[in-house]
Amino acid sequence: GIEYAGAQSVLMPLWQTAGRPLSLFIERFYKTASRERDNPLTFQKTMAEIRDQFPHPYYWASFILRGKTGR
């Protein structure tokens, strides 16, 4: 529904996570996305950063990015 409403891309969780890894992921992704024009690259970089700090996939693999590349 969000894409039909006009969103260029959507960051979505596949399962519910909580705590510091979740807040770091969201914070870093949107902070970088506000400066960069390449959302898929921003997504990959953010996932790698979180994976370095929290190696278990539960913390970093719960998100997917759908939609158009760039803005």
Side-chain angles (χ1 to χ4, degrees), residues 12 16 43 55 69:
M12 302 182 319
Q16 186 175 3
F43 180 73
T69 59

Side-chain angles (χ1 to χ4, degrees), residues 5 19 28 37-39 44 49 56 70:
R28 289 182 184 172
R37 305 209 47 86
D38 189 344
N39 284 343
Q44 288 177 330
E49 289 175 22
H56 195 281

Side-chain angles (χ1 to χ4, degrees), residues 3 8-14 25 29-30 33 38-44 47 62-70:
E3 290 176 73
Q8 295 295 313
S9 59
V10 180
L11 181 65
M12 302 182 319
L14 296 173
F25 191 99
F29 177 81
Y30 283 106
D38 189 344
N39 284 343
L41 184 58
T42 297
F43 180 73
Q44 288 177 330
M47 191 173 281
S62 66
F63 290 99
I64 60 171
L65 183 66
R66 286 184 39 103
K68 298 178 183 176
T69 59

Side-chain angles (χ1 to χ4, degrees), residues 20-40:
R20 188 71 179 140
L22 172 65
S23 61
L24 281 174
F25 191 99
I26 298 296
E27 178 184 315
R28 289 182 184 172
F29 177 81
Y30 283 106
K31 185 176 182 179
T32 304
S34 69
R35 295 186 317 261
E36 301 290 330
R37 305 209 47 86
D38 189 344
N39 284 343

